Amino acid sequence: MRATPSTAPAVDAPLAPDADEPDIPTELDIPAPPTWLQRLTAYRQPLTLGFTLLLFVIGLLACWHLLQALDPDALRTAIHEIPGERLGGAFLATAVGFLALAGYEWSACRYAGVRLPLPRLFLGNFCACAVSNAIGLSVLSGGSVRYRLYGREGVSTADIARISLFVSLSLGCALPVLAALAALSDPHDAALALHLPEPLLQAIAALLLAGITAGLFWLSRRRLADSTLPGTIDVMLGKSRLRLPGLRMSLLQLVITAIDVCAAASVLYLLLPEGPPLGAFLLVYLLALAAGVLSHVPGGVGVFEAVLLAAFAGQIGAAPLAAALLLYRLIYIGLPLLLACLLLLANEARQYLPAGRQALRAVAGPAAPVLALLVFLAGIVLLFSGATPSVDVRLEHLSFLIPHRLIDASHLAASLIGVLCLLLAHGLRRRLSAAWALTLGLLLAGALLSLLKGFDWEEALLLSATAALLASFRRAFYRPSRLLEMPFSPVNLVASICVLGAALWLMFFVYQDVPYEHELWWQFAVDGDAPRALRAALASGLLLAGLALLWLLRPTPPSIDRPEEAQLQQAARILLASDQPDGGLALTGDKALLLHPSGDAFLMYAMQGRSLVALFDPIGCAAHRAELIWQFRDLCDLHHARPVFYQVRAENLPYYMDIGLSAIKLGEEARVDLPRFDLESKNKTMKDLRYTLSRGQRDGLAMRIFEPGEAPLELLRPISDAWMQGKQVREKGFSLGRFDPAYLRHFRIAVIEFEGRPVAFANLLETDAHKVASIDLMRMHPEAPKLTMEFLMLSLLLHFKAQGYERFSLGMVPLSGLQPRRGAPLTQRLGALVFQRGEQFYNFQGLRRFKEKFQPDWEPRYMAVPAGLDPLVALADTAALIAGGLTGLVKR
């Protein structure tokens, strides 16, 4: 059994003559009381969701106030009166807008130094932009789509993040310039639309352009002579070097953004019967767009409409403007989103078919989130359909065949299914098989009910198509789990509340002329659309409230405790049957264990701050790795903690990407290919190693291996104490073991004897698979011969080669292999700088040179963490775990 050393500075110290050896402290550090910033960070998500919900409600109230006098029949008439050629022009403008958006992607790829095939670039841009336009949070939503599509082209996570950030910031940086130009192009009409004095508007626009010009001039003064990539410039901001697009790329991007904005605005402008002056309309459109983005409401729903209604409802008329906004949402937002979902699913199916059915889990990454989005949209359709009247002609023909009580029941049941679809989308996103089965049945039932409640065949066709897609990707939902055990999702709940609130708003708007009476609840008739909608809204609200209450009143999540002896024994059995000896660190007992229900795999983790840090990939059966990773994500959600996976292998990165994490490189692990390791080779390195081995034997060094529980620990403890005293370190932990008899009794121990007395030792990490072996603790007495450590490593390599092992791990060298090139991620450049120039803190390069003597293969190791600022916090929390607490970070 073997535990791969950590990337913290003390991790691989045993293998280098000048390094330090860490372990765990014997006493716990008393945590300091949280600061106000920590408390604010802990409630960051609820505060953000509460703010978003507040702005959504304000937007709906503003729209209600502005449309209060609007007759629904007038809205219906306004929609029918839009000429067909204007509708065709809106579709054409949408196509032009998305072609312009591809220009964003092209510029972003040039900025990031990435080359992509044009078909892949167009597909990635269209799908990412369509999803981010509808959902919002373009860096995250669009970035996840790009990762799935561009990752197969070999584009790194950092470059994908850079592309997504460039695309998102391009519009934000260009909006002030375009808005100022639009205001100055027609100041009179713009002032009327914004209800501002014309001189004040002109002054604001001029000051804005002057400020932007001054900022560009200030940046140009800090431009460096050498640039990172063609078309970009580097500037110095303080002590940081920042890459920016050059003047030519910036001007080109401004033109691309202007085309994009004008095309998107034209979609809405063409749908108006008599539009306002173009300059004023474009200015208000830009302001509405900015308000929708800043509100963080998905798609800016309610906020975007409120700004435009406030500006133009009196000038154009509420009915034509509302009709244009409705069709704008369908043409520019809804249809591209639906097409993007279908393209993503088709792309996944194309990747899946050549790979074979057993490989679906690995290649059907986006299938689950895309289908979850489609199911959520199906829930919206059912709720909005329940809030609006049925087509009279269809209902009259249907009433001859179906009793009106059945029509009422179908209407009510369809709305309830809509609520369940909203909530089950969260389970589909988590790939729960129970959510898949229940959702499939509900969609088919919803399709039938849509026909029964008013012969809504369009609605039934949409639900049936979604069910067919869901059935096609059955294997993407591989997690056996009970739905009641699904972690609570505040985001999903707030989104469902927003949808239900919008449906209520729509119902009261449509039936605002129907006088409310208490008897309205109990009116059952074929033409009783208002009572049906009222009952459906009440039942939907009660169902959502009941399920949310059931979610909130569940028992508290299980506490995170250290494992009991029975769990440690089970982990030891799983470990011996695996080919992952690094799982031996679970036997230290300082980490909690997450066991797979089948009992043949586990994951070890510990809590630090708001981070739950898992050490290594799941240990045991490879088929259960994805499920264990999802279980750990569920556990983190139950505890409102940040999921962190420390020292994971590249082959498992798709599993971590699947739960929404990104990867950063920590270093490289040295693994010796034992069949290829030959001391009789004639190269100089092997000649030096032969000399080391023979010299040690002549000097009286010999290796002796003790079976588990038989090593003379009373003779080895002084060696360990002298080692730590000489290096001035204390016992640490998490990513490597400590000198503890309860821990060491699980392993064979190799002891180096000098003239019959022990001078060095290491506990061996092995499994019954005989594939990989390694060591954990490796400690040497300061008075031992100089070549003792090298002698021990050579003796172990030859021993395991004779035993038929395939590889021997020398552990990881922190920060090794990180590239300092310009344009690399900041964390990677900082790591490379520390590796090259941080020898006074830790012998990074000496450790690499020591391991290079044995001619190993170097394999990268990663940390999987949420995106944003979380990687820095996760690294600090992990370092605190390894150091034995926050005080251990400043103590050796």
Side-chain angles (χ1 to χ4, degrees), residues 13 51 85 155 237 313 324 360 414 477 541 635 657 796:
F51 178 71
E85 58 271 15
V155 183
L237 293 181
L360 181 57
F477 304 93
L635 183 67
M657 302 303 107
L796 289 175

Side-chain angles (χ1 to χ4, degrees), residues 357 371 436 440 443 465-475 477:
R357 298 184 64 86
L371 287 169
W436 175 87
L440 184 62
L443 289 173
T466 306
L469 289 172
L470 201 62
S472 301
F473 285 87
R474 166 66 184 91
R475 291 181 179 270
F477 304 93

Side-chain angles (χ1 to χ4, degrees), residues 579 672-677 748 766-774 795-808:
D579 59 356
V672 179
D673 188 339
L674 292 178
R676 199 169 40 121
F677 183 76
R748 293 201 302 162
E766 312 158 279
T767 69
D768 292 342
H770 280 216
K771 288 188 176 181
V772 184
S774 185
S795 300
L796 289 175
L797 288 170
L798 295 176
H799 168 76
F800 283 111
K801 180 176 181 178
Q803 294 288 320
Y805 279 78
E806 298 177 5
R807 290 178 176 269
F808 185 86

Side-chain angles (χ1 to χ4, degrees), residues 736-769:
L736 65 152
R738 59 186 181 274
F739 193 94
D740 178 7
Y743 168 62
L744 294 176
R745 65 182 173 85
H746 294 283
F747 309 97
R748 293 201 302 162
I749 296 181
V751 177
I752 298 296
E753 296 178 343
F754 176 63
E755 297 179 351
R757 61 183 180 86
V759 293
F761 71 91
N763 64 309
L764 308 181
L765 303 178
E766 312 158 279
T767 69
D768 292 342

Side-chain angles (χ1 to χ4, degrees), residues 597-793:
S598 64
D600 57 2
F602 72 89
L603 190 148
M604 49 185 154
Y605 65 96
M607 185 91 173
Q608 176 65 40
R610 290 188 59 248
S611 298
L612 267 179
V613 186
L615 182 61
F616 308 129
D617 299 298
I619 309 298
C621 179
H624 295 150
R625 284 178 189 167
E627 172 59 21
L628 264 176
I629 291 169
W630 269 108
Q631 286 183 15
F632 184 75
R633 179 60 194 256
D634 291 345
L635 183 67
C636 292
D637 289 344
L638 288 174
H639 288 275
H640 305 289
R642 178 187 300 106
V644 180
F645 289 86
Y646 186 66
Q647 279 202 51
V648 298
R649 300 171 64 86
E651 65 194 43
N652 295 315
L653 286 181
Y655 295 122
Y656 303 109
M657 302 303 107
D658 200 35
I659 64 171
L661 304 184
S662 58
I664 58 175
K665 189 174 181 180
L666 295 173
E668 292 179 322
E669 181 183 355
R671 287 194 166 196
V672 179
D673 188 339
L674 292 178
R676 199 169 40 121
F677 183 76
D678 184 10
L679 277 182
E680 301 304 321
S681 176
K682 295 182 180 181
N683 64 58
K684 185 179 184 304
T685 301
M686 290 301 170
K687 181 179 179 181
D688 293 341
L689 293 179
R690 285 198 304 271
Y691 171 79
T692 299
L693 186 63
S694 60
R695 175 64 184 270
Q697 291 171 346
R698 289 198 307 269
D699 290 345
L701 294 177
M703 184 179 75
R704 184 179 176 187
I705 296 180
F706 293 88
E707 294 301 314
E710 297 181 1
L713 297 184
E714 67 281 358
L715 299 178
L716 302 182
R717 182 177 289 279
I719 299 174
S720 177
D721 294 342
W723 167 272
M724 290 191 297
Q725 186 177 0
K727 299 298 180 182
Q728 297 182 352
V729 297
R730 65 174 189 167
E731 295 277 16
K732 296 187 166 65
F734 184 68
S735 60
L736 65 152
R738 59 186 181 274
F739 193 94
D740 178 7
Y743 168 62
L744 294 176
R745 65 182 173 85
H746 294 283
F747 309 97
R748 293 201 302 162
I749 296 181
V751 177
I752 298 296
E753 296 178 343
F754 176 63
E755 297 179 351
R757 61 183 180 86
V759 293
F761 71 91
N763 64 309
L764 308 181
L765 303 178
E766 312 158 279
T767 69
D768 292 342
H770 280 216
K771 288 188 176 181
V772 184
S774 185
I775 58 173
D776 179 18
L777 295 182
M778 183 177 178
R779 296 184 177 176
M780 179 183 71
H781 198 282
E783 298 178 0
K786 183 179 180 180
L787 298 176
T788 300
M789 191 171 290
E790 262 184 74
F791 181 85
L792 173 57
M793 295 304 302

